[in-house]
Amino acid sequence: MSEQRSKTGVAAPPDNAAAAEGPRRPGLALAVIATAQLMVVLDATIVNVALPHVQQALGLSGSGLQWVVNAYSLTFGGLLLLGGRAGDLLGRRKMFIAGLLLFSAASLLGGFATTQEWLLAARAVQGVGAAITAPAALSLITTNFPEGPQRNKAMGVYASMSVAGGAVGLLAGGALTSYVSWRWVLFVNVPIGLAVALAAPRVLAEASRHRGRFDLPGAITGTGGIAALVYGLSSAATTQDGVSHWGDAKVIVSFVAAVVLLVAFVVIETRSLHALLPLRLLRNRNRTGAYLIFAGAGTGIFGMFFFLTLFMQSVWGYSALKSGVSYMPFTVATLVSSATAAQLVPRVGPRPLLLIGSASSTGGLFWLSRISEHSTYAGGLLGPTMLTGVGIGMVFVPASLTALSGVAEADSGVASSLLNTGQQVGGATGLAVLGTIAWTTVADQAQTHAAHPVPGAHDLATGFSRGLLADSGIALLTFVITLATIRLKRADLAGSTQPAPAP
């Protein structure tokens, strides 16, 4: 077959049998990929509602409690690029299974934790498993489903799991904590992970491994830079007591280290023959725009879950389970919207859907920012969360297809990992900023009417409202990025195939 280039400027996937014909059991293949993605995503939130019970059982300090969440995010976000490239070089299905087994083993050990150190170590290893599994899951869609209707449908299901997983995690965490034990928010991963790992070699096609070597200098600087950035952001945000940590020595050192390491990473990647991140992937405006859109969407989701969960429990007095159930309309709206986007993208192209989705997310988050302690669920929360869910679902499918369209098959693992990296790092960055805005407002409100201020319902509602308003501003920025960068036409997603460049 003669070598050619797609309109996106990067070689598209080769015409291999697996991608051309699809898996022999596409329904089961999609179920395996979607279940793995759901498990990885929901684990970022399923632990949240169990934190008070974890603290009581293990005697965790306040900072230790924070790191039950952050230990997972740190290793997950920091190792995504390395996990994506490992799939390209060692085999995506193989790494998918390895990541699932590691994730399941860490979940089992974490469920038996009797000390803070034990639990935090298990959560960090969970993040390593997730960093291997997540990019492999997305790139396996490109391996098992050819561009066109099959891949659009698969991407719609994958996107639904990526978005709805957070809400499902809150619901599952509330139910397991209320009716069984907090330990089951970890144990539940074990049978699911083992079942998916056993099914994977039977239903998923494996692409051929690609020649090349690991870019060790790039891996050290890239992984270290992202990890330092996530650590700094996780430690920096203003907390509920109104104290800002942006000026702390460890935060400043983390940010300086992140800048130095990431600059070194870019320099190394421009000169490496076996780059961890081929910079040619970022030279395409559509693809870079899609990564930025994913970062903005990550902020929107992280911010909404964070503020609304605290609002419902701290202001309205909802239980953990009731808070999780309250997200069900959002989840349904997201699922329907993702499925609709998968059907529409081959007809209208990605740009209109991205514009509609980002505009809907902006409107929904702005509407949510009007919420107060006197609002009701039906009048103040139901409508805007559903509108936001429609917008997020409408964004994820076309953004994923845009980012992966025309990518050389040899690079699909790292291209997939960049989407997850954008969502994780964008979410961590955005939430640190949004949290600072919200908690500063809460502290200022409390200071205005008490000699010894303790934030009340009005103070908390005002702060969360301000945080959601800033969140809607980031969604609006995502709309502007879409206008400025996305030019991909529906014809560009038609699925012409080309060979990967020689390593």
Side-chain angles (χ1 to χ4, degrees):
M1 182 174 61
S2 60
E3 182 169 339
Q4 52 184 332
R5 295 278 169 176
S6 70
K7 294 181 181 180
T8 54
V10 179
D15 189 9
N16 59 64
E21 299 174 7
R24 277 177 275 181
R25 290 177 277 184
L28 289 176
L30 185 55
V32 164
I33 294 171
T35 302
Q37 179 65 10
L38 177 64
M39 186 173 68
V40 167
V41 173
L42 71 80
D43 225 72
T45 59
I46 193 172
V47 172
N48 287 18
V49 294
L51 289 179
H53 298 265
V54 175
Q55 185 174 34
Q56 183 178 9
L58 301 184
L60 269 68
S61 63
S63 59
L65 201 62
Q66 172 185 337
W67 281 103
V68 173
V69 177
N70 290 345
Y72 181 79
S73 300
L74 182 63
T75 52
F76 187 11
L79 293 171
L80 272 167
L81 281 177
L82 191 58
R85 181 49 82 191
D88 289 337
L89 298 180
L90 301 178
R92 293 176 196 126
R93 189 178 67 185
K94 181 187 297 184
M95 297 310 297
F96 178 75
I97 295 170
L100 284 170
L101 293 176
L102 181 62
F103 188 91
S104 301
S107 299
L108 181 65
L109 291 174
F112 285 116
T114 56
T115 65
Q116 172 177 315
E117 294 75 18
W118 182 344
L119 180 60
L120 296 185
R123 287 289 285 168
V125 177
Q126 272 189 306
V128 177
I132 297 170
T133 302
L138 183 53
S139 59
L140 280 169
I141 290 180
T142 67
T143 300
N144 285 264
F145 298 91
E147 282 192 297
Q150 287 191 50
R151 185 175 298 179
N152 295 343
K153 177 183 177 182
M155 200 65 75
V157 174
Y158 176 90
S160 299
M161 297 301 100
S162 298
V163 179
V168 173
L170 292 170
L171 175 61
L176 290 170
T177 302
S178 299
Y179 297 120
V180 190
S181 164
W182 68 266
R183 296 182 183 277
W184 275 93
V185 302
L186 297 168
F187 285 149
V188 72
N189 294 320
V190 179
I192 298 173
L194 291 178
V196 173
L198 288 172
R202 293 168 173 79
V203 301
L204 294 177
E206 174 68 285
S208 58
R209 289 168 54 180
H210 300 282
R211 290 181 300 158
R213 293 179 299 184
F214 278 107
D215 173 17
L216 187 58
I220 293 172
T221 53
T223 300
I226 293 173
L229 178 62
V230 174
Y231 177 83
L233 290 168
S234 299
S235 304
T238 301
T239 52
Q240 188 168 357
D241 56 8
V243 177
S244 174
H245 299 278
W246 289 91
D248 288 2
K250 68 177 180 180
V251 172
I252 294 173
V253 169
S254 297
F255 286 154
V256 171
V259 170
V260 172
L261 288 169
L262 291 175
V263 169
F265 174 71
V266 172
V267 172
I268 290 168
E269 297 307 280
T270 59
R271 301 176 179 180
S272 175
L273 295 176
H274 305 280
L276 181 67
L277 171 58
L279 295 182
R280 62 180 177 272
L281 290 176
L282 303 179
R283 295 191 186 115
N284 181 272
R285 180 171 67 178
N286 292 296
R287 187 169 299 109
T288 299
Y291 291 142
L292 293 174
I293 290 167
F294 247 71
T299 299
I301 296 169
F302 279 46
M304 189 192 76
F305 284 157
F306 180 78
F307 293 125
L308 286 188
T309 302
L310 285 174
F311 179 91
M312 287 187 282
Q313 295 189 29
S314 300
V315 178
W316 284 353
Y318 280 18
S319 66
L321 180 58
K322 189 175 181 180
S323 297
V325 172
S326 298
Y327 284 111
M328 291 309 296
F330 165 84
T331 304
V332 172
T334 302
L335 294 173
V336 172
S337 177
S338 298
T340 302
Q343 295 295 320
L344 289 177
V345 71
R347 302 177 187 177
V348 302
R351 179 180 163 90
L353 299 178
L354 287 169
L355 290 172
I356 293 170
S358 54
S360 298
S361 298
T362 301
L365 290 168
F366 180 79
W367 188 2
L368 270 178
S369 73
R370 305 297 91 194
I371 201 168
S372 74
E373 68 272 24
H374 304 297
S375 300
T376 63
Y377 177 79
L381 196 148
L382 179 61
T385 54
M386 291 185 69
L387 181 59
T388 304
V390 168
I392 293 293
M394 198 67 70
V395 162
F396 266 61
V397 174
S400 299
L401 291 169
T402 299
L404 296 177
S405 175
V407 172
E409 201 271 341
D411 293 331
S412 65
V414 70
S416 302
S417 69
L418 278 171
L419 278 174
N420 286 286
T421 301
Q423 185 179 354
Q424 292 297 317
V425 176
T429 304
L431 189 55
V433 175
L434 297 177
T436 293
I437 293 171
W439 292 122
T440 300
T441 302
V442 169
D444 290 345
Q445 285 285 316
Q447 288 282 354
T448 61
H449 54 73
H452 301 287
V454 175
H458 176 72
D459 306 320
L460 293 171
T462 301
F464 298 156
S465 172
R466 194 70 55 85
L468 287 165
L469 181 61
D471 204 8
S472 71
I474 293 175
L476 179 60
L477 179 60
T478 303
F479 178 85
V480 174
I481 290 170
T482 302
L483 278 175
T485 62
I486 304 300
R487 294 292 182 271
L488 202 67
K489 303 291 194 302
R490 61 179 182 175
D492 298 326
L493 299 177
S496 61
T497 58
Q498 297 135 54

